[in-house]
Amino acid sequence: MSKKTLYALIAVVVVLIGGMAYLIYSLHKTNEENQQMLELVEMDKLEMENEYEKFAVQYNEMKTQVNNDSLMAQLEQEQQRTQELLEELRRTKKNDAAEITRLKKELATMRDVMKSFVAEIDSLNRLNTQLNAENANLRQQQVAQQQQISNLSEEKASLSDKVAIASQLDATAIRITGLNKRGKEAKKTKDVKRFQVSFNIARNVTAGAGYKTIYVRILKPTNEVISGGGSFAFENRNLEYSIRKDIEYNGEETPVTVYCDITEMLIAGQYRVQIFADGKNIGSSSISFEK
């Protein structure tokens, strides 16, 4: 073999070795680039999974902030859709670029949907806050009105009480006298055969005019009533009376005299007289007798 041929053969071998070395280098570099690409895809896939999981949590939080059934149904639907996409992403291999790209687009759509829900719930919350403030104001107005009504009722009741007090009859100049059998004043109980009670119904233009029933009670020193056999209503109970008389009252001072016959033996001591009209005690007096 000539030197020329040998040199040519050596040159060919060197070229082949260089080509193989370059090819090996290129393949190694491509593998490194592919590995780096897969690692980036894996990181991207993990970030997408985290974001999908975050959306699922946000939907749960949103559901606690709304009372609207329609909005609640939409949140449930989107939360379910988010969970389905998350499961799809977890099943997708990292070298399936087309599927990962699709899920990334779905994620972008989910972001827009989430933003719209946030804006809607924020708007509803502001509206609810405004309505709550208005309701609170209405409640305050209602309380104020109720207080005003209560005050007016109290004033009316007070006025009614004052009118009732003002219109109440009043017995004045009350005098009880014991009379003997000849109709003369008696000083001792053994001589008393009849009691005479005289008084005036005072002038009162606010009292209702018309017929009035006057009840007179005469009480012995033992607090027993010298009874005429009847009773009348007074403060949710019935009281015995000694004498009853109907008079016509026109608002002007009206004198009244009544008599009570005695059919029993009286004892010495203080005798009291109580006068009632219109369910009220309108006057009282007393007298003492010797034995």
Side-chain angles (χ1 to χ4, degrees), residues 85-256:
L85 291 173
L86 176 60
E87 295 300 325
E88 289 180 20
L89 181 61
R90 286 172 175 169
R91 292 194 299 268
T92 301
K93 295 181 179 179
K94 59 185 177 182
N95 58 356
D96 191 344
E99 184 64 9
I100 289 176
T101 300
R102 182 185 72 83
L103 291 172
K104 185 175 290 188
K105 290 180 180 179
E106 290 281 3
L107 184 60
T109 301
M110 295 296 294
R111 289 193 192 99
D112 293 337
V113 172
M114 177 64 72
K115 289 177 182 178
S116 68
F117 277 129
V118 169
E120 185 173 359
I121 291 174
D122 183 58
S123 176
L124 287 174
N125 287 338
R126 285 199 303 272
L127 179 60
N128 285 336
T129 300
Q130 180 181 352
L131 290 175
N132 288 335
E134 291 176 357
N135 288 336
N137 187 41
L138 288 175
R139 284 194 295 272
Q140 290 177 352
Q141 292 179 6
Q142 185 178 18
V143 169
Q145 290 174 350
Q146 290 175 344
Q147 184 62 46
Q148 185 177 9
I149 292 172
S150 177
N151 291 340
L152 289 174
S153 298
E154 290 178 1
E155 290 176 7
K156 181 179 178 182
S158 177
L159 181 60
S160 297
D161 290 341
K162 291 177 180 178
V163 170
I165 292 171
S167 62
Q168 180 177 316
L169 298 180
D170 186 25
T172 63
I174 302 170
R175 187 169 184 270
I176 178 171
T177 306
L179 303 178
N180 59 26
K181 61 183 179 181
R182 293 187 299 275
K184 302 296 182 178
E185 184 174 354
K187 297 296 184 180
K188 297 181 180 181
T189 56
K190 66 183 183 65
D191 297 326
V192 176
K193 302 302 178 182
R194 168 186 272 193
F195 279 117
Q196 173 185 291
V197 180
S198 60
F199 53 90
N200 294 329
I201 302 297
R203 182 177 185 273
N204 190 338
V205 295
T206 62
Y211 284 96
K212 303 289 184 181
T213 300
I214 308 297
Y215 297 97
V216 178
R217 281 164 49 92
I218 302 174
L219 287 81
K220 304 175 189 177
T222 58
N223 274 339
E224 294 177 291
V225 178
I226 297 177
S227 177
S231 64
F232 64 97
F234 177 72
E235 295 183 352
N236 299 320
R237 58 193 175 119
N238 289 327
L239 296 180
E240 287 185 294
Y241 63 82
S242 304
I243 316 160
R244 166 182 168 170
K245 185 172 184 177
D246 294 327
I247 66 169
E248 186 174 3
Y249 182 70
N250 60 7
E252 297 298 329
E253 184 174 73
T254 304
V256 180

